[in-house]
Amino acid sequence: MTSTIQQRRESIMSHVYRLGHVSVRQLADDLAVSEATVRRDLHGLATEGLLELTHGGASVVRNSDYSFISKSMRNVNAKQIIAKMACELVSDGQQLFLDSGTTCFAMTAYLRTKRGLSVIVNSIRTAQELQSPGVSVLLLGGQYRPDRMDTVGPIAFEVLERFRGYRAFLGADGLGRDFGLTSVDIDSASIFTQAARNARECILLADSSKFDHPSLYKITDFQPISTIITEIEPSQEWMSFFDDQHVNVLYPKESSDTPNLQE
């Protein structure tokens, strides 16, 4: 599937998830494509079980888990800002780990321009988007989760245990000063805990909605985190906390696109 088709289908799924139901005509107008093209995309998505066809359109599949799609639709601009800034820290020839979250997924568009990268992932979506002559992708095996298009479990854990010396880029579902980085998913939390433990450096990607909203499962505390990247300056309480933890804070200046690094 070409990138254009994939992007169009993800946009369709965004519309369907947000509205519950969409019409062929509405999608054609919004996406600036023909109704025939929309119908082909809808049929393809329906065949994959991602939506239900209706008369003249499509609807959300009842009782389906849209966790990745749901997350990818939240704070889209913030994730793009964070992802671009994160990739500015990456040089050719480095070894990286990217978690399977949507913010790290947003890094893929920028990483494809690099050369000599080796990237460890447990997300098939991320692996596909990293397809480039300059990028070598190491995909962890394990239990496959179709709804998230990633791998988890003891096999993935065992394979990841063999890697050292990489820079880990980690997201989180929530952050707490007393609890650290957290996830709503125990399987993902286990993998990312291991990734943080084995990394030579950990960089946290977290938009402002994650602050002071910890989730159930702890990934790690802030001790292994060298830098956090977010889209706006955190509160004074968080800035003081990061200073105490010796964590650099990277965010855009209000007056320009140039990142501002607080040490």
Side-chain angles (χ1 to χ4, degrees):
M1 185 184 299
T2 66
S3 178
T4 300
I5 295 174
Q6 182 173 338
Q7 290 170 1
R8 190 172 65 242
R9 291 189 175 187
E10 290 181 355
S11 181
I12 288 173
M13 289 305 304
S14 170
H15 281 67
V16 174
Y17 185 83
R18 187 173 68 252
L19 302 175
H21 176 270
V22 291
S23 68
V24 171
R25 179 177 299 178
Q26 176 187 357
L27 287 172
D29 289 342
D30 290 346
L31 301 177
V33 296
S34 69
E35 292 187 10
T37 296
V38 170
R39 289 192 185 94
R40 284 195 298 271
D41 287 340
L42 292 179
H43 279 284
L45 291 166
T47 300
E48 297 173 20
L50 297 176
L51 51 74
E52 291 181 349
L53 296 179
T54 63
H55 180 69
S59 298
V60 171
V61 177
R62 286 165 287 186
N63 301 322
S64 291
D65 183 355
Y66 285 97
S67 53
F68 186 93
I69 296 173
S70 174
K71 290 180 181 180
S72 67
M73 296 307 117
R74 301 171 190 161
N75 305 312
V76 175
N77 290 337
K79 291 175 182 177
Q80 290 297 325
I81 291 170
I82 293 168
K84 184 176 181 181
M85 292 169 61
C87 289
E88 290 172 353
L89 302 181
V90 177
S91 302
D92 292 347
Q94 291 188 341
Q95 293 80 44
L96 313 176
F97 173 89
L98 300 187
D99 82 6
S100 57
T102 54
T103 308
C104 284
F105 177 77
M107 293 177 63
T108 58
Y110 306 103
L111 291 179
R112 287 197 298 266
T113 64
K114 304 292 183 179
R115 294 291 179 267
L117 290 185
S118 294
V119 186
I120 306 164
V121 300
N122 72 314
S123 166
I124 293 175
R125 292 175 64 100
T126 302
Q128 290 174 330
E129 286 299 307
L130 283 173
Q131 184 176 351
S132 168
V135 182
S136 174
V137 178
L138 304 170
L139 178 63
L140 302 180
Q143 178 186 351
Y144 176 59
R145 299 190 294 186
D147 57 312
R148 296 174 182 259
M149 293 186 69
D150 66 0
T151 57
V152 293
I155 296 176
F157 192 92
E158 180 181 344
V159 174
L160 183 57
E161 175 61 22
R162 301 182 182 185
F163 295 105
R164 297 290 191 280
Y166 53 81
R167 303 175 77 196
F169 288 82
L170 303 173
D173 291 320
L175 303 176
R177 288 191 289 274
D178 58 344
F179 200 47
L181 288 62
T182 61
S183 173
V184 298
D185 169 20
I186 190 172
D187 292 316
S188 294
S190 177
I191 289 291
F192 303 153
T193 298
Q194 181 73 352
R197 183 180 299 124
N198 291 352
R200 67 176 175 86
E201 180 185 11
C202 292
I203 299 170
L204 172 61
L205 313 183
D207 66 69
S208 56
S209 70
K210 308 296 176 61
F211 289 76
D212 295 312
H213 293 93
S215 300
L216 183 59
Y217 300 105
K218 182 173 182 176
I219 298 173
T220 181
D221 56 27
F222 286 96
Q223 190 278 329
I225 305 299
S226 68
T227 301
I228 178 172
I229 306 176
T230 189
E231 87 281 12
I232 60 174
E233 183 177 4
S235 68
Q236 186 56 54
E237 291 80 7
W238 274 100
M239 291 296 287
S240 297
F241 173 80
F242 289 135
D243 185 57
D244 291 340
Q245 296 291 316
H246 307 290
V247 175
N248 294 330
V249 183
L250 190 62
Y251 59 91
K253 290 182 179 179
E254 293 182 2
S255 59
S256 73
D257 294 330
T258 304
N260 182 29
L261 183 60
Q262 303 287 333
E263 298 184 356

